[in-house]
Amino acid sequence: MGADYLGGQFTAACLKVGTSSFADFIAGSAPDLLPGARTSGPSALPATGRGAGGPPGADLPHGTTIVALEIAGGVIMAGDRRSTAGNVIAQRDIEKVFRSDDFSCVGISGVAGIGLELVRLFQLELEHYEKLEGRTLSLEGKANRLAAFVRGNLGGAMQGLVVVPLFAGYDEETGKGRIFSYDPAGEERKFHSIGSGSVFARGSLKKLYTDGMAEGEAITACMHALYDAADDDSATGGPDLTRRIFPVVAVVTEDGFRQLTEDEAGEYARAVVAERMESPGGPIAPLRQATT
């Protein structure tokens, strides 16, 4: 905000009456700071971001698979730790699940750099609103604000710089967890997955999810879903026992946001890996006998 704060004094842009949206303020005073702004022009992408004969952004680091599901009184969100640049592993321990405020979290897949910028702006947006209005946005209001950021990146997405978030949180009005997706379907679901391994993770969750799951069994289901995604999608990283790199797991309930420690996540991951040593295909959903 250097252009708006010079010599210890706020400029006219800072003092101008506007909305409670931090993103609107940035768009009017310093639009170059918005996510993806430095990569929106035809010459803004670095040479490594164009890909030889491929679409723009194809060789930039990409985050991959995120899963989320409702539990009794909240939500669980988990993400693998791998990012890829083309067919190369760019980073093995990237974090893609973040606290957005006390009662919500957001996960990102797609171009990692722009995704991280989008998350930081979203976090500031919610904090800015709360400071100006003296109250927090409703969970649905937060989801709508994030949707506006996704629409704002449409130009970058058209260049191949796609960022797809997954938003979830505890709804203080209903006392339940809710999940919001921003893919073309865009509907609210009880469980969902995004990223390159999402089709495999979602198939796994479809077999394992039940209404009102307890926290522990829901985290285990998420671990199985990410394991299945890594099993079939080369861009998704499974639990790395050698390097002690495990999925990031966030829990949001009426008590607020909580991220599992490395030791806690590792305990669940090791249990899933041990189970897969005995049954590589993972747990099988029980079949119910037809009643006559």
Side-chain angles (χ1 to χ4, degrees):
M1 238 38 66
D4 291 311
Y5 186 75
L6 302 173
Q9 295 183 345
F10 288 103
T11 64
C14 293
L15 301 176
K16 183 179 178 181
V17 176
T19 69
S20 55
S21 171
F22 185 78
D24 288 348
F25 169 71
I26 292 296
S29 60
D32 57 302
L33 297 179
L34 289 171
R38 291 179 294 280
T39 56
S40 59
S43 60
L45 283 172
T48 57
R50 296 184 182 277
D59 292 334
L60 293 174
H62 282 62
T64 47
T65 309
I66 308 291
V67 298
L69 54 80
E70 290 183 15
I71 61 173
V75 291
I76 304 285
M77 184 178 289
D80 82 303
R81 305 291 296 277
R82 177 177 293 177
S83 70
T84 58
N87 63 343
V88 176
I89 296 175
Q91 188 174 340
R92 300 180 188 275
D93 60 352
I94 188 173
E95 294 197 12
K96 311 170 204 172
V97 176
F98 305 91
R99 172 192 178 276
S100 45
D101 72 354
D102 287 341
F103 293 99
S104 64
C105 59
V106 60
I108 56 166
S109 66
V111 179
I114 297 177
L116 291 174
E117 289 181 352
L118 184 145
V119 167
R120 294 187 186 111
L121 179 60
F122 183 53
Q123 291 168 332
L124 282 171
E125 175 81 356
L126 300 184
E127 184 178 348
H128 185 73
Y129 179 92
E130 184 175 352
K131 286 182 176 179
L132 288 188
E133 299 294 334
R135 60 183 178 87
T136 60
L137 273 167
S138 67
L139 189 64
E140 195 156 339
K142 298 170 192 176
N144 290 337
R145 289 290 176 103
L146 184 55
F149 293 169
V150 175
R151 289 193 298 270
N153 189 51
L154 182 59
M158 296 295 288
Q159 297 184 60
L161 304 174
V162 179
V163 176
V164 179
L166 184 62
F167 178 69
Y170 174 77
D171 192 332
E172 296 178 86
E173 296 178 3
T174 64
K176 297 180 180 179
R178 299 173 68 185
I179 299 168
F180 300 86
S181 67
Y182 298 88
D183 53 17
E187 64 216 38
E188 195 177 336
R189 300 174 171 89
K190 292 188 175 183
F191 63 87
H192 195 53
S193 178
I194 59 172
S196 60
S198 61
V199 62
F200 309 110
R202 203 174 308 145
S204 180
L205 288 177
K206 186 176 181 180
K207 299 295 188 293
L208 299 176
Y209 176 82
T210 57
D211 288 334
M213 296 181 80
E215 180 180 310
E217 62 180 352
I219 294 173
T220 299
C222 286
M223 289 288 182
H224 275 294
L226 291 174
Y227 190 104
D228 284 327
D231 204 27
D232 289 296
D233 173 47
S234 61
T236 303
D240 190 332
L241 303 185
T242 303
R243 298 181 177 87
R244 293 178 53 81
I245 300 174
F246 309 112
V248 173
V249 181
V251 182
V252 187
T253 65
E254 64 178 348
D255 295 325
F257 173 94
R258 178 174 68 89
Q259 181 174 317
L260 267 63
T261 66
E262 285 285 343
D263 288 340
E264 290 174 325
E267 186 176 342
Y268 283 100
R270 289 189 183 92
V272 167
V273 171
E275 183 176 342
R276 294 300 180 108
M277 293 291 288
E278 301 296 327
S279 178
I284 300 173
L287 294 176
R288 294 184 175 89
Q289 296 295 326
T291 58
T292 57

